[in-house]
Amino acid sequence: MGKRYNWGILGAARIANKFADGLKELPNANRYVIAARSLERAEAFKEKHGFEKACGSYEEMLADPALDVVYVATTNNLHFEHTMMCLEAGKSVLCEKPFASNLEQVEKMIAKAREKKVFLMEALWSRFLPSMMQFKAEVVNGIIGKPLLLQCDFGFISPFDLHGRVYDPALGGGSIPDIGIYPIFTAMYLFGSPTEIKVTSVPAPTGTDWTTSVLFKHPGKEISMLTSSFELNLGNEARLYGDGGYLKLHTMFHIPTKLSVNRNEGRELEIPVSSTGNGYNYEAAEVMDCLDKGLLESPGMPWQFSIDLMSVLDTVTQLAAESYK
């Protein structure tokens, strides 16, 4: 174990609670400071999760010289602004997905991290889950032969709310950035950026996407069929078919879950995967390992992957909007 790092969390929303629980699994992660727009809310979060300090403003937290690294946990539309604040203050950053609202913002964030020589990583927690990593390892090892088709979806019914976070365009709402990013990430993690993209989508009354289906063709001729939805309870599985069988990440595929294989034998066999904590501990551990090594970016979630992912998300969002016409 390396240095013990003082963690700060910027924003006290639901995802911040999950991340704070993940930090409790890591002996080298000190739950140091929580900052919210309301001091009362920050104090309540501090007491709930055992943080040392609470701040009623983000600026106050970032001025603390003892703070080592910040997890940005605000709404999608604020990721760019708050990450840039942290980087300007010289603080290492783990920013919740999606990294930003568009490719231009992502490139500016990375440029600022380079300029300030501070660590920056997108918090796409699924990347570091043992189940997801084993999923890819089994593919690389050829357990199902040549991979040919990925079917992956993420959908649940979210009652429509004109001003709700998942529907309000001003808050970065829509199924694509909020949950569609998981199937898209999974496809790109396995096969790289798509060479062809086709999209069909149904809009919510606010103009954000309600249900979106995406078809990718990848450089190795693999096909990915991906769907995200706030109006349908989908299977929330990832199935990868090869010429020697299929692999399945069970419901919910984006969290620590079961992994199984069927090698064209008519039955599924579970592949043992062990994990600890709620899963958010793995991305935090990756950050601290990188900081121990003096890195500015994670080899497991490098800046170029975040650039490529946001570029694809931008294209999918644009094609979805065009499909409304």
Side-chain angles (χ1 to χ4, degrees):
M1 186 176 71
K3 171 184 172 180
R4 193 161 190 256
Y5 291 94
N6 284 335
W7 277 87
I9 297 182
L10 193 156
R14 184 178 66 170
I15 193 73
N17 287 272
K18 294 180 179 180
F19 186 78
D21 284 337
L23 289 181
K24 296 171 186 176
E25 300 291 323
L26 304 169
N28 57 335
N30 182 38
R31 301 185 302 280
Y32 181 61
V33 57
I34 172 67
R37 291 297 187 191
S38 158
L39 180 58
E40 180 181 14
R41 190 175 186 190
E43 289 284 0
F45 190 100
K46 170 193 163 190
E47 294 304 314
K48 178 179 179 181
H49 293 288
F51 277 67
E52 294 182 16
K53 300 174 63 176
C55 295
S57 77
Y58 305 145
E59 292 81 3
E60 179 186 358
M61 180 181 75
L62 295 176
D64 188 336
L67 175 64
D68 294 312
V69 54
V70 177
Y71 170 63
V72 173
T74 46
T75 52
N76 296 348
N77 60 307
L78 295 174
H79 289 175
F80 172 70
E81 174 188 341
H82 291 152
T83 295
M84 293 295 278
M85 283 177 59
C86 295
L87 295 173
E88 283 286 1
K91 305 300 184 184
S92 296
V93 180
L94 174 65
C95 177
E96 183 53 41
K97 61 80 192 161
F99 218 9
S101 298
N102 54 57
L103 180 58
E104 181 182 4
Q105 290 182 349
V106 169
E107 290 175 335
K108 287 181 178 178
M109 290 157 60
I110 292 170
K112 182 59 67 175
R114 281 200 181 100
E115 175 194 333
K116 294 291 185 176
K117 295 182 173 57
V118 292
F119 180 84
L120 172 66
M121 188 179 96
E122 182 174 7
L124 220 164
W125 70 309
S126 299
R127 165 61 183 85
F128 299 101
L129 297 179
S131 51
M132 182 64 73
M133 295 175 72
Q134 188 66 33
F135 187 50
K136 182 169 183 177
E138 296 292 349
V139 175
V140 172
N141 292 336
I143 195 170
I144 58 168
K146 177 175 173 51
L148 299 170
L149 174 67
L150 173 69
Q151 293 180 332
C152 188
D153 56 47
F154 192 169
F156 56 89
I157 297 173
S158 179
F160 180 72
D161 178 354
L162 185 65
H163 302 293
R165 180 187 66 83
V166 301
Y167 290 110
D168 190 342
L171 298 178
S175 83
I176 295 169
D178 207 66
I179 56 176
I181 190 173
Y182 287 111
I184 290 172
F185 151 75
T186 303
M188 294 178 63
Y189 178 53
L190 293 174
F191 305 135
S193 295
T195 55
E196 296 179 26
I197 302 175
K198 295 182 179 180
V199 179
T200 187
S201 185
V202 175
T206 54
T208 61
D209 77 292
W210 216 337
T211 296
T212 297
S213 288
V214 180
L215 186 66
F216 287 164
K217 188 175 183 180
H218 299 273
K221 309 304 181 185
E222 306 93 348
I223 293 173
S224 295
M225 301 171 64
L226 318 170
T227 302
S228 60
S229 178
F230 284 139
E231 61 177 345
L232 299 168
N233 286 319
L234 300 178
N236 301 325
E237 293 180 343
R239 285 194 183 218
L240 177 61
Y241 294 87
D243 56 14
Y246 69 81
L247 276 167
K248 181 168 77 172
L249 273 174
H250 292 245
T251 306
M252 305 276 290
F253 78 91
H254 72 296
I255 71 173
T257 188
K258 289 200 311 180
L259 175 64
S260 62
V261 63
N262 184 323
R263 287 186 264 199
N264 292 336
E265 299 165 342
R267 60 195 179 112
E268 290 183 357
L269 300 175
E270 185 173 348
I271 298 174
V273 180
S274 62
S275 62
T276 60
N278 67 356
Y280 290 85
N281 44 304
Y282 292 105
E283 63 180 355
E286 171 70 9
V287 170
M288 292 186 291
D289 182 61
C290 290
L291 293 176
D292 284 343
K293 295 173 180 175
L295 302 177
L296 299 186
E297 61 180 309
S298 161
M301 190 69 188
W303 292 339
Q304 188 59 55
F305 187 91
S306 290
I307 288 171
D308 294 343
L309 179 59
M310 184 54 67
S311 178
V312 170
L313 288 170
D314 280 355
T315 299
V316 170
T317 300
Q318 178 184 346
L319 293 174
E322 291 174 2
S323 77
Y324 302 158
K325 299 172 183 177

